[in-house]
């Protein structure tokens, strides 16, 4: 699996950048994980609008969902101009009343995900686990041809995600806080908390993302490395990672 970072900021984007969004690709798939502010403009550098197979949304906070409306318009244009013949599926939890907005005329269709509903998207298996967050959030486990990728969405350190992450080749985990800031924003992780979770899960590789706007994020990998013995990367717009 190949993952391209389309946006890696928490809350709001830095100039010319975007909040949460990742393009997951295999030999058969183009799947968008989260659709935050600024994500679409970056997505279309990598694929055409008609080539997107699905979007999966971790939760409905704006920094993960702000561009969904424009994604729906893009699907409409693709269908009206006969570049696409089926509505774009947008997967998300049904606990938010925003779920109903995911179905837009005949151009996009909202589809439910939950801890009890796993997906098989043409060989890509996706399962979900609820995390502790201020909005109902589902972490995702994506499995394809023996590789395992986890994308957490947002979560607090009370979440026990280690068993869900077992065997992970790569964990993309929100890291909104520096080590000394534990609890500053409840429902978010510090470098230490992220690293300890990845260590407990036995992950091979960890990508820190969903960055704060105050502080030098370049120091985050050093903080995390005290608690995680695998490979650590800092997410960066347009950067590509492989499982
Ligand atoms: Zn967020
Ligand atoms: Zn959130």
């Amino acid at each position: 699996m190949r993952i391209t970072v389309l946006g890696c900021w928490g809350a709001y984007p830095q100039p010319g950048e975007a909040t949460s969004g990742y393009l997951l690709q295999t030999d058969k798939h183009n799947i968008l994980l989260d659709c935050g502010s600024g994500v679409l403009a970056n997505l279309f550098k990598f694929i055409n609008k008609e080539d997107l197979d699905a979007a999966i949304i971790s939760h409905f906070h704006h920094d993960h969902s702000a561009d969904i409306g424009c994604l729906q318009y893009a699907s409409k244009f693709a269908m009206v101009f006969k570049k696409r013949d089926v509505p774009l599926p947008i997967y998300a939890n049904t606990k938010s009343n925003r779920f109903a907005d995911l179905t837009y005329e005949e151009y996009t269709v909202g589809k439910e995900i939950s801890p009890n509903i796993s997906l098989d998207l043409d060989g890509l298996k996706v399962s979900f686990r609820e995390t502790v967050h201020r909005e109902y959030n589902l972490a995702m486990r994506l499995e394809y041809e023996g590789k395992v990728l986890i994308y957490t969405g947002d979560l607090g350190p009370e979440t026990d995600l280690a068993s869900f992450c077992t065997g992970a080749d790569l964990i993309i985990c929100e890291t909104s806080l520096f080590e000394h800031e534990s609890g500053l924003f409840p429902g978010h992780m510090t470098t230490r908390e992220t690293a300890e979770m990845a260590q407990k899960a036995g992950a091979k590789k960890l990508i820190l993302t969903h960055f704060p706007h105050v502080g030098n994020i370049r120091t985050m990998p050093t903080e995390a490395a005290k608690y995680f013995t695998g490979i650590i990367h800092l997410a960066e717009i347009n950067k590509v990672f492989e499982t």
Side-chain angles (χ1 to χ4, degrees):
M1 286 179 277
R2 184 166 67 165
I3 195 104
T4 303
V5 178
L6 303 174
C8 54
W9 292 97
Y12 60 92
Q14 286 287 306
E17 298 221 15
T19 63
S20 299
Y22 308 87
L23 174 61
L24 176 82
Q25 294 177 293
T26 72
D27 52 346
K28 289 197 283 193
H29 306 89
N30 290 310
I31 301 201
L32 179 62
L33 308 181
D34 278 349
C35 191
S37 174
V39 163
L40 274 200
N42 213 24
L43 173 68
F44 296 144
K45 289 182 198 162
F46 297 96
I47 62 168
N48 294 318
K49 59 188 180 310
E50 57 271 19
D51 294 330
L52 186 65
D53 299 309
I56 309 177
I57 307 300
S58 65
H59 67 301
F60 283 98
H61 275 156
H62 297 301
D63 53 334
H64 300 255
S65 65
D67 272 6
I68 287 176
C70 291
L71 177 64
Q72 293 175 312
Y73 293 156
S75 184
K76 176 176 183 172
F77 271 67
M79 292 184 76
V80 167
F81 288 98
K82 310 281 186 221
K83 302 242 173 161
R84 178 182 187 96
D85 52 15
V86 290
L88 177 74
I90 304 176
Y91 294 90
N93 78 76
T94 57
K95 299 211 181 261
S96 167
N97 54 17
R98 289 187 58 203
F99 178 83
D101 297 335
L102 298 181
T103 297
Y104 169 53
E105 299 174 0
E106 65 266 44
Y107 307 117
T108 64
V109 57
K111 296 198 171 217
E112 180 182 8
I113 53 173
S114 82
N116 302 318
I117 299 174
S118 296
L119 309 177
D120 187 337
L121 306 174
D122 199 10
L124 176 72
K125 293 198 168 134
V126 195
S127 50
F128 303 93
R129 178 74 62 89
E130 182 181 353
T131 71
V132 177
H133 191 51
R134 295 169 81 93
E135 171 87 14
Y136 185 82
N137 176 88
L138 291 170
M140 310 169 196
R141 178 184 173 100
L142 303 112
E143 299 176 58
Y144 187 69
E145 293 187 341
K147 297 285 188 180
V148 178
L149 185 153
I150 306 288
Y151 169 55
T152 63
D154 286 357
L155 74 167
E158 306 84 358
T159 312
D160 184 6
L161 217 52
S163 64
F164 182 68
C165 298
T166 303
D169 294 281
L170 176 61
I171 298 181
I172 303 169
C173 187
E174 78 117 299
T175 311
S176 302
L177 299 164
F178 293 88
E179 186 176 356
H180 67 278
E181 295 177 319
S182 183
L184 180 64
F185 289 115
H188 292 288
M189 300 278 268
T190 65
T191 47
R192 177 175 182 165
E193 290 156 353
T194 292
E196 287 180 340
M197 186 271 287
Q199 185 71 18
K200 196 172 165 193
K204 295 191 181 88
K205 212 188 284 184
L206 172 64
I207 299 176
L208 310 178
T209 192
H210 195 279
F211 298 129
H213 297 272
V214 176
N216 180 7
I217 61 170
R218 299 277 154 206
T219 65
M220 287 183 139
T222 310
E223 289 190 353
K226 290 188 277 179
Y227 309 100
F228 177 64
T229 52
I231 299 164
I232 301 172
H233 293 285
L234 213 50
E236 189 178 319
I237 193 163
N238 301 331
K239 202 161 174 179
V240 178
F241 298 94
E242 308 263 352
T243 53

